[in-house]
Amino acid sequence: MAALKATTSFVHLKNPHAHCLPRLPCHKSTLSLKRFTPMAALTASPTVGLAETFTRLKKQGKVALIPYITAGDPDLSTTAEALKLLDSCGSDIIELGVPYSDPLADGPVIQAAATRSLARGTNFNAILSMLKEVVPQISCPIALFTYYNPILKRGVDNFMSTVRDIGIRGLVVPDVPLEETESLQKEAMKNKIELVLFTTPTTPTDRMKAIVEASEGFVYLVSSIGVTGARASVSGHVQTLIREIKESSTKPVAVGFGISKPEHVQQVAGWGADGVIVGSAMVKLLGEAQSPEEGLKELEKFAKSLKSALP
């Protein structure tokens, strides 16, 4: 998959106050992979939204940990357990990737995860069924990461109302052009879903300001040119980009792509980011483990190491 061209940003690609519930202590690795258990008796308060989450964290002097995992890799039962585990380990927002056959923004790790998931028969309806059971059991908001075509195929209004009804609070669409966000955002706002947009190191300043203005929940700052994937280090240019965005807006900024170590999240938080997004490193642990149980055990250990590196 080709890397992004130097003159483009994801939103310019041609292709198409309730507080969080108290967190449970992060359990040790005695994890059960039972199928999603309905919790009919659970009457949880509505999950707080993305922007509200950042507001709460800012007041506490904290930086958001935002893990990303791919739905259905290795299977949806493990995804359900992973969502609950990441929540109990202190994640502030979770991005859940909807597998897609042409993932132009994704690097080899997430592409492979999507391929495995689709090969197992994962589809959007199955993901929705899983989320319907899991969302009431967790305290942090979930943002769906999905490409534009599956939204259009389902119908924008139908898609938004469907994900709203299961409790999704945010939406990340990496390939929607900025010029086409208006109708998408209108439906998202009508359904109280926050549409998160991307800006990159090569996004022109005027366009960056327009993206920041249009983005809801937070601004997704891509740390480097190219696709998702773990990298050895984070470019020092990110510090300048964070400052430039904050000079033009009070919206929170979360940095993603290439963030894969506790040292990375600590560094980016020190540069003034309001949140850090960790994807490929998480996906790799779950998708390449010897067993789902082993993958969850490693995911727990990794999530705790990232959380402890943040203020």
Side-chain angles (χ1 to χ4, degrees):
M1 199 211 78
L4 293 173
K5 294 182 179 178
T7 56
T8 192
S9 72
F10 285 117
V11 291
H12 190 50
L13 291 170
K14 302 298 183 185
N15 299 330
H17 199 320
H19 295 287
C20 280
L21 300 175
R23 296 198 185 282
L24 298 173
C26 198
H27 25 272
K28 300 298 179 187
S29 56
T30 53
L31 293 160
S32 166
L33 286 183
K34 58 188 177 185
R35 291 283 166 181
F36 344 116
T37 305
M39 296 186 68
L42 186 67
T43 54
S45 301
T47 304
V48 63
L50 310 187
E52 290 175 275
T53 296
F54 279 104
T55 298
R56 172 178 58 81
L57 292 170
K58 186 174 183 178
K59 289 177 180 177
Q60 298 171 351
K62 295 181 178 179
V63 174
L65 173 61
I66 309 174
Y68 168 102
I69 58 173
T70 300
D73 184 46
D75 54 57
L76 283 174
S77 180
T78 305
T79 301
E81 294 299 322
L83 291 171
K84 290 183 281 187
L85 183 150
L86 289 169
D87 177 57
S88 69
C89 285
S91 300
D92 298 291
I93 296 166
I94 302 173
E95 276 187 30
L96 181 65
V98 176
Y100 183 54
S101 57
D102 186 24
L104 57 89
D106 293 321
V109 171
I110 295 179
Q111 279 195 43
T115 299
R116 288 190 298 264
S117 179
L118 292 171
R120 289 185 65 93
T122 303
N123 58 54
F124 192 61
N125 287 334
I127 294 170
L128 291 176
S129 296
M130 179 272 293
L131 286 171
K132 188 175 181 180
E133 300 294 349
V134 173
V135 169
Q137 301 180 48
I138 66 178
S139 60
C140 71
I142 293 178
L144 280 187
F145 184 110
T146 180
Y147 288 87
Y148 197 19
N149 192 55
I151 298 175
L152 293 174
K153 187 175 180 180
R154 201 174 185 95
V156 176
D157 54 347
N158 180 49
F159 180 93
M160 294 295 181
S161 61
T162 299
V163 299
R164 174 205 64 200
D165 289 346
I166 60 167
I168 295 300
R169 301 308 304 268
L171 186 63
V172 184
V173 187
D175 61 337
V176 60
L178 177 62
E179 292 73 19
E180 294 181 31
T181 58
E182 190 173 341
S183 60
L184 193 61
Q185 193 167 49
K186 182 179 178 182
E187 287 299 323
M189 292 179 73
K190 188 165 74 176
N191 290 281
K192 297 184 178 179
I193 293 170
E194 292 160 290
L195 179 63
V196 178
L197 302 181
F198 291 84
T199 184
T200 78
T202 58
T203 303
T205 301
D206 287 348
R207 188 172 182 83
M208 178 271 285
K209 290 179 178 178
I211 290 166
V212 170
E213 177 67 25
S215 189
E216 296 292 335
F218 64 91
V219 178
Y220 196 133
L221 172 58
V222 175
S223 70
S224 57
I225 296 303
V227 295
T228 60
R231 290 168 174 81
S233 62
V234 183
S235 169
H237 186 48
V238 169
Q239 184 174 14
T240 303
L241 296 172
I242 293 170
R243 186 175 65 249
E244 289 176 355
I245 294 171
K246 287 183 172 290
E247 285 173 355
S248 66
S249 174
T250 59
K251 290 179 181 177
V253 181
V255 178
F257 284 46
I259 313 296
S260 61
K261 303 174 183 177
E263 300 93 313
H264 292 167
V265 303
Q266 192 170 44
Q267 183 177 44
V268 171
W271 287 341
D274 301 289
V276 290
I277 302 162
V278 182
S280 293
M282 298 267 183
V283 172
K284 187 179 179 72
L285 289 175
L286 280 177
E288 299 182 8
Q290 294 297 310
S291 67
E293 293 88 349
E294 184 63 29
L296 289 166
K297 188 191 300 183
E298 292 300 314
L299 184 71
E300 177 183 28
K301 187 190 306 180
F302 184 50
K304 290 169 72 175
S305 73
L306 297 173
K307 187 68 177 179
S308 65
L310 289 171

